Amino acid sequence: MSSDAESTDAAAGGTPDEHGTLYVVGIGPGLPDHMTKRAKEVIESADVVIASSLYQEFLRDDGTIPAEERTDEDGVATREDGFEQEIVRSTMGRQIELARAAFDYVREGKDVAHVSGGDPSVYGKSDLIFKMAEEEDATDVPIEIVPGLTAALGGSANVGAPLCNDFCTVSLSDKWRGWDEIEEKLRAAAISDFVIVLYNCWRNYEKAVEIVREERTDDAYVAIVNDAGREDAGRNGESKFITTLGEAADHDDKVSGMGTSLIIGNHETETWRNDDRTYLVTPRGGRDVDDF
């Protein structure tokens, strides 16, 4: 493997020591309180930042990247200390083009922060970067993944402790895989009594709920969480709503779009209430306090 890498480096006219690094950076929900220190440092120091308009807005509000008025028509932003960053707008339709561009920037010796919401390896951008690196024979490009807070964890924290036992995540997007495969995974997860976190709920969430209902009782608890960790920012603003599996499909008004996740409890998931709100809790193996 090392000989192949060395030959690729020579063909590229440089070695990894002369290259920058491509960082795929998870910023969680995007607001500073839920972004890791490492993610912020990488973005602040990158020569090139690739991010969607929404994530650029978050990063500017936080001061992680320069304000829009400090950015010229070519996308070059200048901080008050004089450090310049090239800010590149990312969209779903440009992912392949931007991956290739990122490799070129790195070969020029620039550090690139390719920004992903949530965690880049949980339905984020990591896999595309590695697939493109393989297709483009970009073994000379150093790649580092910077993890972030994913919606399953942010949503779980919003409603209590529903993920304290075994759980799984399932994306309802059928863009890359057929619905038959998604249905098979949902059914297996329901039968296995996993707590299930559904991503990409703007499509097919009613169908998903009906499939799980076939294998799980209607009184299982469900949390519908929108824009976890984003407060009033983002597309629709942060909200949470607790219902049951039997009634979840009746609350489509609570499912606001791409920022929505559903957390479907198992037979052990229960509610805990104080004076202000209701929480969901899934005990680890049904343990009592004396078992800890």
Side-chain angles (χ1 to χ4, degrees):
M1 180 175 290
S2 62
S3 61
D4 290 340
E6 288 169 3
S7 63
T8 304
D9 295 339
T15 68
D17 288 341
E18 296 169 344
H19 290 2
T21 299
L22 172 53
Y23 298 93
V24 189
V25 186
I27 61 170
L31 300 187
D33 286 349
H34 291 148
M35 191 189 312
T36 69
K37 180 180 179 182
R38 173 65 174 159
K40 183 176 176 62
E41 288 174 346
V42 166
I43 295 170
E44 286 178 333
S45 63
D47 301 293
V48 181
V49 177
I50 301 173
S52 70
S53 296
L54 178 64
Y55 298 149
Q56 286 186 32
E57 180 182 337
F58 290 154
L59 296 171
R60 286 193 172 100
D61 287 347
D62 176 38
T64 303
I65 62 175
E68 191 165 7
E69 57 266 23
R70 301 186 68 90
T71 306
D72 67 22
E73 59 184 16
D74 295 321
V76 177
T78 306
R79 287 205 310 245
E80 292 184 3
D81 62 3
F83 180 73
E84 291 186 347
Q85 292 181 303
E86 184 173 348
I87 311 297
V88 179
R89 180 173 175 266
S90 171
T91 63
M92 288 294 290
R94 297 183 64 207
Q95 293 303 317
I96 291 176
E97 170 193 343
L98 290 173
R100 291 194 180 107
F103 301 154
D104 291 339
Y105 283 126
V106 169
R107 289 175 178 135
E108 293 170 6
K110 297 178 180 178
D111 288 332
V112 178
H114 203 316
V115 174
S116 175
D119 182 278
S121 295
V122 183
Y123 313 119
K125 295 183 172 68
S126 296
D127 62 325
L128 174 63
I129 293 297
F130 283 109
K131 292 293 289 184
M132 286 300 300
E134 180 180 4
E135 184 174 310
E136 298 291 309
D137 196 23
T139 55
D140 60 314
V141 175
I143 299 172
E144 181 177 328
I145 308 301
V146 181
L149 181 66
T150 187
L153 303 182
S156 171
N158 271 9
V159 298
L163 305 185
C164 286
N165 206 334
D166 296 331
F167 72 94
C168 68
T169 64
V170 179
S171 170
L172 301 184
S173 173
D174 53 6
K175 182 175 181 180
W176 289 283
R177 63 188 73 250
W179 179 254
D180 287 347
E181 182 180 343
I182 296 171
E183 180 175 340
E184 183 179 355
K185 291 180 178 180
L186 284 169
R187 199 176 303 281
I191 292 171
S192 301
D193 208 32
F194 283 107
V195 174
I196 306 169
V197 184
L198 301 181
Y199 280 66
N200 296 315
C201 291
W202 78 92
R203 38 199 308 164
N204 300 320
Y205 104 91
E206 295 98 336
K207 290 168 63 176
V209 166
E210 291 308 311
I211 289 166
V212 177
R213 286 182 69 189
E214 295 174 14
E215 312 296 344
R216 193 164 293 186
T217 61
D218 277 354
D219 60 358
Y221 289 108
V222 174
I224 303 173
V225 184
N226 291 296
D227 282 340
R230 286 183 175 167
E231 302 172 356
D232 294 330
R235 298 178 178 89
N236 299 289
E238 188 174 36
S239 66
K240 53 186 176 293
F241 179 76
I242 294 176
T243 182
T244 62
L245 187 60
E247 297 181 356
D250 298 330
H251 297 289
D252 58 344
D253 60 315
K254 307 292 185 183
V255 178
S256 63
M258 292 181 67
T260 302
S261 300
L262 261 66
I263 302 174
I264 303 176
N266 64 10
H267 80 281
E268 292 179 331
T269 304
E270 56 196 27
T271 57
W272 184 87
R273 295 177 175 85
N274 64 13
D275 292 340
D276 298 321
R277 55 184 286 199
T278 298
Y279 298 83
L280 292 187
V281 179
T282 306
R284 191 180 308 171
R287 292 188 296 175
D288 294 323
V289 173
D290 293 340
D291 296 328
F292 283 84

